[in-house]
Amino acid sequence: MPNTTYTITAIKEIIKADGNIVHDYNISALFTDSRRISNPAEGLFFALSGRRNGHEFVAEAYAAGIRNFVVEHGPEFNLPEANFLLVPDPLAALQALAAYHRSRFNLQVIGITGSNGKTIVKEWLYQLLSADKNIVRNPKSYNSQIGVPLSVWQINERNDLGIFEAGISTTNEMERLEAIIKPEIGVLTHIGPAHDEGFESRSQKIAEKLRLFKNSKLLIHNYDQLLDFKKELGAKETFTWSRKFREADLYVFSETVISKNYYLRARYHGKEIECLIPFTDQASVENAITCWATMLALGYSAVETDKRIERLSPVSMRLELKNGVNNCSVIDDSYNSDLQSLEIALNFLSQQNQHQKKTLILSDIYQSGLHQDVLYKQVAELIRTKKVDKFIAVGEALQAHQQYFDAAEQHFYSDTNTLLQHLKLLAFKDETILIKGSRSFEFEQVSRALAQKAHETVMEINLNSLLNNLNFYKSKLKPGVKVMAMVKAFSYGSGTFEVANMLQYNKVDYLAVAYIDEGVALRQAGINLPIKVLNPEASAFDKLIEYKLEPVIYSFGLLDDFVTYAIGRSMVNYPVHLKIDTGMHRLGFENHEIEILCDMLETNRYVRVQSVFSHLAASEAPEHDEFTKKQIKRFEKAFKEIERTLGYKVIKHICNTSGITRWPSAHYDMVRLGIGLYGIDSAVPASDAGLQPIASLKTSVAQVKKIGAGDTISYSRSGSLAKDGKIATVRIGYADGYLRAFGKGLGKMLVKGTLVPTVGNITMDMCMLDVSGLDVREGDEVIIFDEHQRIEELAKQIGTIPYEILTNISQRVKRVYFYE
């Protein structure tokens, strides 16, 4: 939160807005999302237009306490206490306000851009420089056209250094961000293929990124990357590093791994210097060299820089959601703690509806730049606003300021060990627990103690990718077309409430499940969206009604059963969905039955038809397009006759995932998004970066054995090696969902970046891989599928479809959900 406030009258002048001021409120907080509002009394809401039209959420923001709005047009309803500032473009107004705020402060600013490593470099520079500087920076990866102005807005007069990253996805974006950040020092991180699709060439992307530094005095970069861009650099001075070219200012000429650390030697100012990096993966090494160069360019000595880099901590970019003890859910964010990231984590906590009780375990917050009284008053207010029920504080500073906190249940401990000793007494049960701590508190011990134990095979679900895929398909719809998300079969193996909470928070219109018990589980987890049940059973109608689920009626027998049930309980106008069989020949009323169906519905007051739908049999296949057209024609004939009989409009839908992509003319009122949510669509090329796989299945090596040529392996002596070699036994088998069909070399997994085949039959809990020639050890990670080894490839290996691979992953495989 900035230390200074602005009156709404002053802001009106800064952003050159029209509109009348009802009351001249003071403004200190900016919001673009009506679901994430704190301190509404001093808040200003920008109604941004994008995938979601912010004007549709003005009333929701008003109900949350916001009284000041920047909009393109006034509201369609009366909000008597509100000020409305009218502008042509609310996003441009947000950026103009942030740029004005930035111009008021004379702090040094480092601007960071690149394809990869921006956030890591920013966070590591924060770790390296915070001992000397009062730093303001982007929370997490807030580096977009919206995130940058919200980050810059945090500047206050106590800050003497700003570190801001800027990300772009196409041309003509960086100019706007440069005008907001105004970096004196520029840092260019690794340039890779990320967002290449938004540019004509890699060269165009680099040139666009360099616009961030057009007014910078100093640019720090990898000498190798910009050999062809010397004219575009713009900065008056450069500091370069390289692992190839001696002419760089920092020339790294020796690299050695020493006991899980990376030891570098380099030439700098004609002298040999050294640096020990506490990481060994190449991405971290490159990011650390960038930080090494930046520290030297800023005037730090080689010795001091080496000392600080050796103490770098990992940066956790993702919140991790996993199952906990005693039916709890655990959100692990145990590696960093500051005011901005706390608010982000609390927002994610508030999305979780599976438990009524919300718990926060929080450590002292270091290096905030605020006086402790001010800091912990703000923390207390944030916790109060986010409605935390149980607050567990760890640290002497929180103990000293406990008078500011008033959660219904709260506990204060001086250190992590004391908390661990009292953990059982806190009686965690049926609650969602957010663990948020500074690195030095080692809250990973708390996370391990509260997490449900499971074997080492894990399916990781990236909720950001799921949201990206949802928005990918939404972008293909005309305004007003609804989205029904298919979450049947444990969300195609990906989870229940974890996926449904994300979909509900991002305002899909309907959910669909296969059976009533799936819908009951979602209701019990706090999901209140309309839920359609595709295969309702008469024996479970009581549960269907109790949990307000909506049945699909696909036959006269089922219709008769449901109407009889409704009559017996004096139910009227219960919502149902009619399924029409237009050629799939699975379930549904056929064309010749529509007239009889209409006769039955005409005077039926016990049900009200919410939607009429059908299912395309081959929407993804061009060779069946004529058949798809016949299905669409049959569907139109059926729903027109049904609507004519009913005398009211119903929701019409026929498009599944591939239908959304290939048949925009058939979107009608709603589309059904299924496996596309999970990053798989046979109608979308795998190279299309708009769609992202959300799941990674990983396991580990249990044992490595040397095997002689001809020695037999696995049940039925079904495998052998042609020559002497090694096998790795890994912790996954057909009971985990890795099908027996993958045996005898048909299946392949990634070990140390190399695809290796299975050997012999797949067993219930284990299988064997040929790792001859690889340096493989017990405990090494093994990847069954991820964004590189895609599910589609696994399906091809055994002649099946991706659906079968996903839905076969056993429930005993632990699911871990990540959200950035």
Side-chain angles (χ1 to χ4, degrees):
M1 182 183 297
N3 197 45
T4 54
T5 60
Y6 295 79
T7 65
I8 196 68
T9 299
I11 290 175
K12 178 183 177 183
E13 185 175 341
I14 293 167
I15 65 176
K16 297 180 172 54
D18 293 325
N20 296 320
I21 303 298
V22 176
H23 179 78
D24 200 15
Y25 297 96
N26 288 324
I27 300 298
S28 65
L30 309 182
F31 302 105
T32 63
D33 191 329
S34 60
R35 301 163 300 184
R36 300 180 177 182
I37 289 173
S38 56
N39 189 23
E42 295 188 5
L44 175 61
F45 181 83
F46 288 78
L48 305 182
S49 296
R51 292 190 176 109
R52 300 169 68 227
N53 185 346
H55 294 81
E56 296 175 2
F57 301 95
V58 166
E60 191 175 306
Y62 186 87
I66 295 290
R67 293 297 179 265
N68 301 282
F69 300 87
V70 177
V71 295
E72 289 181 43
H73 52 77
E76 299 174 358
F77 32 79
N78 185 34
L79 301 176
E81 300 175 16
N83 294 318
F84 288 95
L85 305 186
L86 303 177
V87 296
D89 182 354
L91 176 57
L94 170 64
Q95 293 172 339
L97 179 57
Y100 176 85
H101 183 69
R102 160 73 179 91
S103 70
R104 295 186 61 192
F105 299 91
N106 192 32
L107 75 170
Q108 187 179 57
V109 171
I110 298 173
I112 304 172
T113 193
S115 300
N116 308 101
K118 296 184 293 294
T119 304
I120 299 296
V121 168
K122 177 200 69 188
E123 293 297 321
W124 279 351
L125 287 177
Y126 174 78
Q127 290 182 30
L128 293 166
L129 296 169
S130 57
D132 313 310
K133 302 285 187 179
N134 188 308
I135 302 173
V136 57
R137 72 197 194 280
N138 316 64
K140 295 285 185 179
S141 54
Y142 272 39
N143 60 25
S144 66
Q145 298 290 309
I146 300 170
V148 166
L150 293 178
S151 301
V152 168
W153 181 253
Q154 304 301 318
I155 297 173
N156 62 57
E157 72 273 5
R158 291 179 297 277
N159 303 131
D160 48 25
L161 176 64
I163 309 177
F164 298 109
E165 58 173 299
I168 57 172
S169 55
T170 188
T171 56
N172 303 316
E173 290 185 339
M174 193 59 87
E175 289 277 0
R176 286 185 167 195
L177 301 186
E178 192 279 334
I180 301 168
I181 297 172
K182 289 292 182 189
E184 178 183 341
I185 298 166
V187 176
L188 184 68
T189 65
H190 178 78
I191 298 292
H195 298 299
D196 273 0
E197 68 278 1
F199 302 89
E200 293 177 1
S201 64
R202 183 73 58 85
S203 295
Q204 185 189 54
K205 181 173 76 172
I206 294 174
E208 179 71 16
K209 287 183 177 294
L210 289 175
R211 293 178 186 274
L212 178 62
F213 313 125
K214 67 178 186 178
N215 295 308
S216 299
K217 295 178 181 178
L218 171 65
L219 173 60
I220 300 146
H221 67 90
N222 182 344
Y223 182 87
D224 314 12
Q225 289 192 147
L226 298 184
L227 287 173
D228 299 324
F229 290 88
K230 292 183 179 179
K231 291 183 180 178
E232 288 88 349
L233 292 183
K236 296 180 175 64
E237 182 183 349
T238 62
F239 186 103
T240 60
W241 66 268
S242 178
R243 298 157 95 171
K244 298 178 182 177
F245 296 96
R246 294 176 179 272
E247 52 266 49
D249 295 294
L250 178 67
Y251 168 52
V252 180
F253 65 83
S254 174
E255 307 181 28
T256 310
V257 176
I258 302 176
S259 184
K260 297 185 179 180
N261 293 298
Y262 211 83
Y263 176 61
L264 302 174
R265 294 162 64 199
R267 300 291 295 180
Y268 171 61
H269 284 174
K271 297 180 180 180
E272 183 178 314
I273 63 173
E274 62 183 7
C275 183
L276 192 66
I277 299 168
F279 310 97
T280 57
D281 65 283
Q282 282 302 307
S284 294
V285 170
E286 182 169 339
N287 290 332
I289 295 174
T290 300
C291 293
W292 189 16
T294 302
M295 294 289 285
L296 295 173
L298 291 175
Y300 285 82
S301 72
V303 173
E304 180 61 25
T305 299
D306 178 34
K307 286 181 181 178
R308 295 192 185 191
I309 288 179
E310 193 174 343
R311 296 195 298 267
L312 282 177
S313 299
V315 175
S316 174
M317 293 309 305
R318 306 185 296 183
L319 301 169
E320 181 179 318
L321 173 64
K322 52 196 174 185
N323 290 332
V325 297
N326 302 324
N327 195 39
C328 291
S329 299
V330 175
I331 303 170
D332 189 348
D333 193 13
S334 59
Y335 290 98
N336 65 85
S337 186
D338 57 66
L339 201 56
Q340 288 78 30
S341 66
L342 174 61
E343 183 169 3
I344 293 168
L346 284 170
N347 284 329
F348 186 67
L349 175 65
S350 68
Q351 292 179 32
Q352 307 307 311
N353 299 291
Q354 60 269 29
H355 307 296
Q356 287 189 345
K357 192 172 187 178
K358 303 286 197 295
T359 297
L360 170 64
I361 302 177
L362 179 70
S363 78
D364 287 348
I365 296 174
Y366 296 142
Q367 299 165 337
S368 71
L370 298 173
H371 188 278
Q372 285 197 351
D373 276 348
V374 175
L375 170 64
Y376 290 110
K377 280 180 181 177
Q378 290 189 17
V379 170
E381 179 56 32
L382 188 58
I383 291 172
R384 193 175 299 114
T385 301
K386 299 302 179 181
K387 299 178 180 177
V388 170
D389 303 293
K390 183 175 178 179
F391 176 49
I392 300 166
V394 181
E396 294 177 356
L398 278 164
Q399 269 194 327
H401 296 86
Q402 60 184 279
Q403 70 271 19
Y404 298 141
F405 297 89
D406 58 3
E409 179 185 349
Q410 51 191 38
H411 309 268
F412 293 83
Y413 301 98
S414 59
D415 54 48
T416 304
N417 284 334
T418 308
L419 168 62
L420 290 168
Q421 292 167 13
H422 290 81
L423 216 53
K424 288 185 178 179
L425 299 177
L426 291 169
F428 295 102
K429 186 178 181 182
D430 298 320
E431 51 198 284
T432 305
I433 307 164
L434 169 60
I435 303 172
K436 181 73 174 163
S438 297
R439 176 70 179 176
S440 60
F441 281 82
E442 298 181 343
F443 270 9
E444 57 267 28
Q445 299 177 72
V446 181
S447 178
R448 283 196 298 268
L450 293 178
Q452 190 179 73
K453 304 302 182 284
H455 79 98
E456 291 188 35
T457 301
V458 176
M459 187 160 159
E460 297 179 350
I461 310 295
N462 187 324
L463 295 175
N464 294 90
S465 294
L466 183 137
L467 177 56
N468 172 84
N469 297 338
L470 173 63
N471 289 329
F472 172 81
Y473 287 101
K474 278 185 174 181
S475 70
K476 298 181 180 299
L477 305 178
K478 294 178 181 177
V481 176
K482 300 178 185 295
V483 174
M484 174 180 286
M486 311 299 288
V487 293
K488 61 181 181 175
F490 194 56
S491 295
Y492 295 73
S494 298
T496 52
F497 60 78
E498 300 92 348
V499 171
N501 275 328
M502 178 64 70
L503 295 171
Q504 178 168 274
Y505 186 73
N506 287 282
K507 300 187 182 298
V508 301
D509 301 282
Y510 256 94
L511 298 178
V513 297
Y515 297 104
I516 290 172
D517 57 354
E518 293 178 316
V520 170
L522 291 178
R523 286 283 185 254
Q524 290 175 337
I527 301 302
N528 53 35
L529 284 171
I531 298 176
K532 182 176 81 168
V533 180
L534 297 168
N535 298 300
E537 296 168 314
S539 60
F541 281 166
D542 284 341
K543 289 291 184 185
L544 183 136
I545 304 304
E546 178 185 353
Y547 288 95
K548 296 182 172 59
L549 308 174
E550 301 177 10
V552 167
I553 303 297
Y554 54 77
S555 69
F556 292 118
L558 185 58
L559 177 59
D560 185 58
D561 285 345
F562 192 75
V563 169
T564 301
Y565 180 89
I567 292 172
R569 285 153 185 79
S570 302
M571 290 163 37
V572 177
N573 287 333
Y574 196 87
V576 301
H577 302 260
L578 301 179
K579 184 165 189 179
I580 310 301
D581 182 358
T582 58
M584 180 79 167
H585 296 324
R586 184 170 58 182
L587 294 173
F589 294 98
E590 298 187 53
N591 272 12
H592 68 270
E593 297 176 316
I594 300 302
E595 185 176 348
I596 300 172
L597 174 63
C598 287
D599 288 343
M600 294 180 69
L601 292 173
E602 190 168 16
T603 58
N604 192 316
R605 63 190 185 90
Y606 302 102
V607 298
R608 180 174 179 86
V609 178
Q610 291 294 103
S611 81
V612 175
F613 73 103
S614 188
H615 194 90
L616 297 176
S619 58
E620 74 286 356
E623 64 269 26
H624 296 301
D625 281 356
E626 287 304 314
F627 183 79
T628 298
K629 290 175 184 177
K630 288 180 182 178
Q631 281 195 272
I632 293 170
K633 190 173 181 179
R634 291 170 185 160
F635 178 58
E636 288 191 351
K637 181 175 183 294
F639 76 63
K640 286 177 180 177
E641 190 172 346
I642 291 169
E643 281 191 330
R644 200 162 39 242
T645 299
L646 293 173
Y648 56 83
K649 294 291 183 183
V650 299
I651 299 170
K652 283 85 68 179
H653 51 109
I654 193 173
C655 278
N656 54 3
T657 289
S658 296
I660 297 171
T661 307
R662 297 195 65 241
W663 295 95
S665 62
H667 287 173
Y668 298 112
D669 305 310
M670 185 161 68
V671 296
R672 298 188 305 277
L673 182 53
I675 201 165
L677 262 178
Y678 312 100
I680 300 169
D681 184 347
S682 55
V684 177
S687 58
D688 190 331
L691 202 59
Q692 300 172 2
I694 74 165
S696 300
L697 182 60
K698 301 176 180 179
T699 189
S700 62
V701 174
Q703 191 175 27
V704 179
K705 290 178 179 288
K706 291 181 179 180
I707 301 293
D711 287 354
T712 57
I713 301 161
S714 196
Y715 285 120
S716 302
R717 305 183 66 195
S718 51
S720 63
L721 301 182
K723 56 184 180 180
D724 292 354
K726 289 188 301 186
I727 63 165
T729 301
V730 298
R731 296 177 170 95
I732 189 169
Y734 58 77
D736 301 296
Y738 193 66
L739 303 172
R740 291 188 80 245
F742 284 113
K744 301 177 183 178
L746 284 178
K748 294 178 175 62
M749 301 184 194
L750 274 171
V751 181
K752 294 291 185 81
T754 301
L755 273 178
V756 297
T758 58
V759 183
N761 285 325
I762 307 299
T763 69
M764 182 179 288
D765 310 300
M766 302 274 184
C767 64
M768 281 64 81
L769 304 175
D770 181 358
V771 294
S772 302
L774 297 180
D775 179 20
V776 178
R777 302 178 185 181
E778 292 180 11
D780 281 350
E781 182 180 75
V782 178
I783 297 172
I784 295 91
F785 59 73
D786 64 1
E787 69 271 21
H788 305 296
Q789 164 81 336
R790 292 175 63 104
I791 293 175
E792 294 93 327
E793 290 303 313
L794 268 71
K796 288 178 185 177
Q797 289 169 10
I798 61 170
T800 187
I801 58 175
Y803 293 78
E804 185 176 6
I805 303 296
L806 261 181
T807 56
N808 264 290
I809 305 304
S810 166
Q811 293 304 296
R812 81 174 187 179
V813 172
K814 181 172 69 173
R815 269 71 170 176
V816 177
Y817 300 84
F818 293 107
Y819 181 70
E820 185 174 307

